[in-house]
């Protein structure tokens, strides 16, 4: 399959990828991580690096702006291990940032997984088997992605992953937005404040007025997209059952990660994510609305003990899986 590049993307698309990068690396430098990104990614990339060997094929599925790949490559460079790394994502905006940072390295490849089906204009996704050109991977890595995939599609995706792993291959994943009975009462899920922001936006008279001034069809499209940005979290029992049904065997662990309020603000203001208030086209006005409602949402978390005025606590799940017999 032809190598993907971001050449020809318009500046606003590239800006979205750069903004997401700064949600992970606030100063733009990959040696200065947001604390939540450092802590949430560390167990995942450490487990990945521990058993990789020269020449192994690694798939970073849902690679986004390259945050997990960057941290994995740091560890592999320290231990002197060279792998073939394939970054897969449906968003050209976010994948463009990863490409800008990593494309000059040997053994790094990029694939856009989303396609627009001819005629209908509907969005679809290329099977991982096709993206791999028939190869099988030693490791599939997936960070902060599984909770975004609708349940029915998730079951099929997990089957693809199983089929694309070597018999000795591994699947490692994490998510800060899967509900778990072990989650303490004083710990939120990572997207809880952003879902609350969306609710507050919908109830905001200024936002409703802005929507009313739009063409009804355009307003409907904007709101349909906005509702999909931070979906309700799946339960761990559902995800584990889907993994078993796909023929993957393993276990999960958990940890709590603090998210600073400043990092939460950077996150909700990423272009694509800020579309939870997409009915307001003017960016400064939209940002001001989002920050006001984020302050309310974080205050509500503090009121129930899930935040402390500086950061909120988020619950992360980590899965380590292999192909079944």
């Amino acid at each position: 399959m032809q190598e993907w590049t971001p050449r020809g993307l318009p500046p606003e698309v590239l800006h979205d990828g750069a903004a997401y990068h700064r949600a992970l690396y606030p100063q733009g430098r990959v040696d200065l991580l947001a604390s939540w990104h450092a802590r949430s990614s560390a167990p995942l990339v450490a487990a990945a690096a521990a058993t990789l060997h020269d020449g192994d094929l690694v798939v970073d599925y849902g690679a986004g702006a390259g945050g997990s790949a960057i941290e994995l490559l740091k560890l592999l460079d320290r231990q002197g291990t060279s792998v073939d790394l394939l970054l897969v994502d449906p968003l050209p905006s976010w994948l463009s940032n990863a490409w800008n940072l990593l494309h000059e390295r040997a053994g790094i490849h990029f694939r856009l997984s989303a396609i627009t089906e001819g005629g209908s204009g509907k969005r679809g996704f290329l099977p991982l088997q096709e993206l791999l050109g028939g190869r099988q991977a030693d490791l599939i890595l997936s960070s902060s992605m599984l909770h975004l995939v609708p349940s029915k599609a998730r079951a099929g995706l997990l089957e693809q992953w199983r089929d694309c792993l070597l018999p000795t291959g591994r699947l490692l994943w994490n998510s800060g937005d899967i509900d778990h009975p072990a989650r303490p009462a004083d710990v939120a899920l990572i997207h809880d404040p952003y879902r609350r922001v969306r609710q507050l936006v919908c109830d905001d008279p200024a936002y409703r007025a802005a929507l009313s001034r739009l063409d009804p069809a355009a307003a409907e499209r904007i709101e349909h997209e906005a509702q999909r940005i931070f979906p309700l979290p799946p339960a761990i029992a559902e995800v584990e059952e889907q993994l078993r049904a796909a023929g993957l065997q393993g276990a999960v662990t958990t940890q709590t990660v603090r998210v600073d309020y400043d990092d939460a603000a950077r996150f909700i203001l990423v272009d694509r994510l800020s579309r939870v208030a997409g009915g307001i086209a003017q960016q400064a006005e939209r940002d001001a609305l989002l920050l006001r409602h984020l302050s309310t949402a974080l205050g509500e978390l503090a009121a129930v003990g899930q935040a402390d005025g500086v950061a909120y606590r988020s619950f992360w799940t980590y899965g380590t899986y292999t192909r079944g017999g």
Side-chain angles (χ1 to χ4, degrees):
M1 176 171 283
Q2 184 176 2
E3 189 78 11
W4 179 85
T5 77
R7 293 188 179 94
L9 292 179
E12 62 270 20
V13 172
L14 299 175
H15 183 271
D16 181 44
Y20 188 65
H21 175 74
R22 286 188 176 269
L24 306 178
Y25 303 93
Q27 297 185 44
R29 292 171 44 185
V30 297
D31 59 330
L32 297 174
L33 291 70
S35 61
W36 73 271
H37 175 46
R39 183 161 168 75
S40 64
S41 65
L44 185 73
V45 297
T51 59
L52 287 173
H53 303 90
D54 285 343
D56 281 354
L57 174 59
V58 179
V59 176
D60 183 359
Y61 197 98
S68 296
I70 289 166
E71 298 311 306
L72 175 60
L73 290 168
K74 289 177 185 177
L75 291 185
L76 294 178
D77 287 348
R78 288 186 205 126
Q79 66 190 41
T81 303
S82 177
V83 301
D84 284 334
L85 176 58
L86 177 66
L87 283 72
V88 176
D89 202 82
L91 298 178
S93 56
W94 290 6
L95 195 59
S96 69
N97 185 83
W99 187 91
N100 288 335
L101 292 170
L102 299 174
H103 76 278
E104 293 183 350
R105 288 186 58 125
I108 311 294
H109 310 279
F110 303 85
R111 298 287 187 271
L112 194 67
S113 58
I115 57 171
T116 300
E117 297 176 359
S120 68
K122 291 183 179 179
R123 196 167 184 241
F125 296 89
L126 293 170
L128 182 56
Q129 292 94 329
E130 184 174 340
L131 296 173
L132 284 171
R135 297 178 68 189
Q136 288 182 302
D138 297 277
L139 172 68
I140 296 176
L141 188 74
S142 184
S143 178
S144 298
M145 194 276 297
L146 272 181
H147 58 268
L148 297 173
V149 182
S151 178
K152 185 175 180 180
R154 188 188 312 120
L157 179 62
L158 293 173
E159 292 176 357
Q160 286 186 42
W161 288 357
R162 176 209 60 211
D163 292 343
C164 290
L165 282 173
L166 288 165
T168 55
R170 294 184 303 150
L171 165 65
L172 299 176
W173 59 268
N174 75 1
S175 171
D177 210 46
I178 293 177
D179 213 353
H180 194 297
R183 178 167 65 93
D186 64 349
V187 180
L189 294 174
I190 192 148
H191 287 169
D192 281 349
Y194 314 124
R195 278 186 284 269
R196 179 58 177 147
V197 166
R198 170 61 184 165
Q199 292 173 343
L200 292 167
V201 164
C202 289
D203 293 338
D204 190 296
Y207 185 73
R208 293 201 302 270
L211 278 178
S212 71
R213 292 191 290 269
L214 298 175
D215 173 77
E220 183 178 356
R221 286 194 301 272
I222 287 169
E223 287 297 278
H224 178 72
E225 178 187 9
Q227 285 296 112
R228 294 164 59 92
I229 292 173
F230 296 112
L232 292 174
I236 186 60
E238 176 188 354
V239 175
E240 288 183 312
E241 176 54 36
Q242 289 178 325
L243 285 156
R244 283 191 292 270
L248 293 159
Q249 299 177 347
V252 301
T253 58
T254 63
Q255 73 163 346
T256 297
V257 175
R258 285 172 58 86
V259 182
D260 294 344
Y261 285 4
D262 287 346
D263 289 332
R266 273 185 286 269
F267 191 78
I268 194 63
L269 295 185
V270 170
D271 302 9
R272 178 170 295 275
L273 305 180
S274 77
R275 293 177 193 169
V276 293
I280 296 178
Q282 210 284 325
Q283 193 67 52
E285 183 183 353
R286 183 193 299 179
D287 289 355
L289 179 79
L290 290 171
L291 291 176
R292 184 170 75 251
H293 289 317
L294 178 63
S295 178
T296 298
L298 293 173
E300 291 174 353
L301 290 186
V304 297
Q306 295 178 337
D308 57 18
V310 177
Y312 72 95
R313 290 175 290 280
S314 63
F315 190 83
W316 285 74
T317 304
Y318 298 79
T320 302
Y321 282 78
T322 58
R323 288 182 58 154

